[in-house]
Amino acid sequence: NAGVTQTPKFQVLKTGQSMTLQCAQDMNHNSMYWYRQDPGMGLRLIYYSASEGTTDKGEVPNGYNVSRLNKREFSLRLESAAPSQTSVYFCASGRLAGGNTDTQYFGPGTRLTVL
Amino acid sequence: GNSVTQMEGPVTLSEEAFLTINCTYTATGYPSLFWYVQYPGEGLQLLLKATKADDKGSNKGFEATYRKETTSFHLEKGSVQVSDSAVYFCALRGGNTPLVFGKGTRLSVIA
C-alpha cells in the first residue's frame, strides 16, 4: 500500500516548456487534489476532482490544466511554464463524500523550478 | 468564505519547553479542524483532528481543542523534542469541500 505517489520528484523547465505532473493513489479514494506550496503562502488549492469524471477549479487555477484519468490517477499539466510557477506541488486524496470529517492524504511532492 | 489564520513563525524553543501554536478560523456552519505536520523534505501528514465543538484531538503528545466560542484550535505540547522540528499547518474543512490551510508555522527545537 503505497498511499499517494507523485512523479517526478524534481524537475527543471525553461520558460514556455510544457510538462505533466503525475499522481496516483491506491486507497480507493473518490477525491483527489493538487496544491502548490510557496514560502509564506501555505498550501493553495489549484484544482480538485471530487469524483472520477469531474474536476473543479481551486484558488489558483490559472496556467494549469488537470485530467482525472481514472479513479486512481490525477495529472496536472503546465502548458507553457512561467517562472511564477516555480513551487512545490503536492497531490492529495480523500473520500470527500465522507463529509467534512474526512482526512486528506498527501504525496511526497514535486519540486519544480522554471528558469 | 472559509479561512484559517495561524501565528507566524519561526518559533524556536529549547528541548522540553512548552509549545503553543495559535490557530483561529472563520467558517460558516460546523467545520472540522485539523493539524498537519510537514517534516523537512516530506509531504504533509495528519497530526490530529477534531470534528465538533469541545472535541480534543491528540497524537504524539500534541493536543488541540475545538473551541467554537473563540473560533480557535490551538496546538499544544507539554515538552517538545528536537524531532518535533517541522512546519505545522492548521486547516479546516466545511461540508464536502477541500481543506483550507493556514500559512504554516515553522518550529525549530534546539538541544
Side-chain angles (χ1 to χ4, degrees), chain B residues 30-99:
Chain B
Y30 302 94
S32 289
L33 302 173
F34 303 78
W35 277 101
Y36 279 80
V37 58
Q38 182 181 31
Y39 298 104
E42 298 184 10
L44 278 71
Q45 305 173 25
L46 177 68
L47 181 60
L48 54 85
K49 71 179 185 182
T51 60
K52 60 183 186 295
D54 299 325
D55 265 4
K56 177 185 284 188
S58 61
N59 186 26
K60 300 182 181 180
F62 291 89
E63 293 182 340
T65 301
Y66 188 165
R67 301 286 189 201
K68 191 165 177 62
E69 64 275 14
T70 55
T71 62
S72 65
F73 192 55
H74 305 321
L75 183 68
E76 297 183 335
K77 186 175 186 183
S79 177
V80 294
Q81 305 299 312
V82 171
S83 57
D84 294 325
S85 298
V87 181
Y88 293 83
F89 292 92
C90 187
L92 73 80
R93 162 175 272 166
N96 282 340
T97 58
L99 284 170

Side-chain angles (χ1 to χ4, degrees), chain A residues 19-70:
Chain A
M19 79 161 295
T20 299
L21 281 65
Q22 306 287 353
C23 175
Q25 53 91 9
D26 61 3
M27 295 175 281
N28 201 34
H29 286 158
N30 294 320
S31 59
M32 298 185 73
Y33 313 83
W34 277 106
Y35 291 86
R36 59 178 289 173
Q37 182 180 26
D38 302 294
M41 299 297 290
L43 273 79
R44 294 181 292 169
L45 184 67
I46 304 171
Y47 272 94
Y48 69 103
S49 171
S51 61
E52 191 177 352
T54 69
T55 59
D56 286 286
K57 295 178 180 179
E59 182 185 353
V60 288
N62 291 344
Y64 305 95
N65 287 301
V66 290
S67 295
R68 183 73 184 267
L69 304 171
N70 48 54

